[in-house]
Amino acid sequence: IKCFVMDKNNSQLHSNAPHPSLEYPPLYFVLKCFPTLQEWARSLYKVRWELSYPLQRRIPFSKYLRKVGITITWGELLLLTPFLIILIQGTITSFVNSSVTQSGLVARLPLAICFLTANHNSLLTLLLGIPFERVIKYHKLSGYCAFINGILHTYVAFALDGKDKGIENVGDVFEYTVDGQVNTSGTMLLTIMFAMIVTSMPLVRRIVFEVFYYFHIGFAMAMFFCAFYHS
C-alpha cells in the first residue's frame, strides 16, 4: 500500500512506499515461508521507526533557515557530524600534526561513505529508513569531502616527503607525482575524483546524462583500483 503526501493544491509530492528491497520477490517469498523471519523484520521496522521519528523534527530556527533555502532535521544534522569531524581531522593531520600516513587515512574515510551511499537499494537506506532521494546528497557531500581531504593529503606529501627529495622546480614536481607506484596511483586517484566532480555537475547531467552516468561508473571502478595500489 502506498500513501501519497499532497500539497495544498492536491498535487502529489512523493510516495511513502516500502523499501525496494522488501519488494524483491525472492525476499518476500522467504519472509512469507518463514514466519519467524517475518516477525523479526516487523520488529526491526518498528524499532527503526521509534528511533528515527524524533530525529525527523526540524532543528531550532528552521523558519529562519528556510528563508535561505536550508531545511534540516536533527537526523540530518546527526548525519552531517561525521563529515565535519573528517574535515577537522584532515586539517589537523595536514597543518597541526602533519603526517602523510594519518592524512591519507582521513582522506580514505569519505570514499567509503561515498560507496555506501551510491546504491538505490543499500543496507544503509534499509537500516536507517532514509530514501535514496535524500541519501544522494550525502553521496555528493562525501565526494567533495574526499576531494578536499585528498588535496590536503597531497599537500602534506609534498611538504614532508617531497621536501626530503629536494623538489625545487616545476619539473621536479611533475617527476614526484609519477615517482613510483604510490605517487602515481595517488595522482591518478585525485585526478579521477576531480573528473568525477566535473562530469557530475548539474549542467552535464541535464544536457548529456549518459556521459555523466557511464563516466561515473567507469571512474568509480578506476578509483577503486587506484586506491588499492595507493594503499
Side-chain angles (χ1 to χ4, degrees):
I1 299 174
K2 294 186 178 180
C3 300
F4 297 96
V5 178
M6 314 296 287
D7 64 5
K8 60 182 180 180
N9 297 321
N10 291 327
S11 299
Q12 180 181 315
L13 296 180
H14 63 274
S15 61
N16 183 18
H19 190 274
S21 296
L22 293 183
E23 297 179 338
Y24 184 57
L27 178 59
Y28 180 77
F29 177 77
V30 170
L31 290 177
K32 293 294 290 183
C33 291
F34 298 94
T36 303
L37 289 178
Q38 190 175 22
E39 288 298 322
W40 179 84
R42 184 179 290 112
S43 300
L44 173 65
Y45 273 79
K46 180 181 178 182
V47 172
R48 190 189 71 178
W49 170 252
E50 291 175 348
L51 294 177
S52 64
Y53 181 74
L55 298 177
Q56 297 177 24
R57 298 179 181 272
R58 292 195 174 106
I59 63 173
F61 308 108
S62 291
K63 62 179 180 179
Y64 302 107
L65 294 175
R66 282 201 301 269
K67 295 180 180 179
V68 292
I70 299 177
T71 303
I72 187 170
T73 63
W74 284 108
E76 291 173 325
L77 186 63
L78 184 64
L79 290 174
L80 288 173
T81 303
F83 296 102
L84 181 61
I85 294 175
I86 289 172
L87 287 175
I88 293 176
Q89 192 64 25
T91 304
I92 292 175
T93 55
S94 299
F95 301 106
V96 181
N97 298 321
S98 300
S99 170
V100 177
T101 303
Q102 293 301 319
S103 66
L105 291 174
V106 175
R108 190 184 306 168
L109 292 176
L111 286 178
I113 301 176
C114 206
F115 278 99
L116 283 174
T117 54
N119 298 323
H120 282 268
N121 305 331
S122 66
L123 186 62
L124 185 68
T125 59
L126 179 63
L127 293 179
L128 299 182
I130 304 176
F132 177 75
E133 290 75 14
R134 299 179 73 179
V135 171
I136 193 64
K137 65 182 179 182
Y138 299 104
H139 174 72
K140 297 176 183 178
L141 184 60
S142 60
Y144 296 141
C145 188
F147 183 66
I148 292 173
N149 277 0
I151 293 176
L152 295 178
H153 175 58
T154 303
Y155 163 77
V156 176
F158 275 108
L160 299 182
D161 186 52
K163 183 179 180 181
D164 296 337
K165 295 185 177 181
I167 295 179
E168 297 179 354
N169 51 55
V170 178
D172 293 336
V173 171
F174 177 76
E175 185 178 349
Y176 178 76
T177 59
V178 293
D179 181 24
Q181 172 182 306
V182 174
N183 288 9
T184 302
S185 57
T187 302
M188 293 178 62
L189 186 59
L190 192 63
T191 304
I192 290 172
M193 283 194 288
F194 176 74
M196 291 184 78
I197 292 175
V198 172
T199 55
S200 63
M201 295 177 66
L203 180 63
V204 177
R205 297 201 311 268
R206 187 166 56 249
I207 298 178
V208 280
F209 180 80
E210 289 77 10
V211 172
F212 151 73
Y213 182 74
Y214 291 110
F215 271 70
H216 215 66
I217 295 176
F219 283 148
M221 296 175 62
M223 189 168 59
F224 177 81
F225 287 106
C226 288
F228 175 80
Y229 285 107
H230 189 64
S231 301

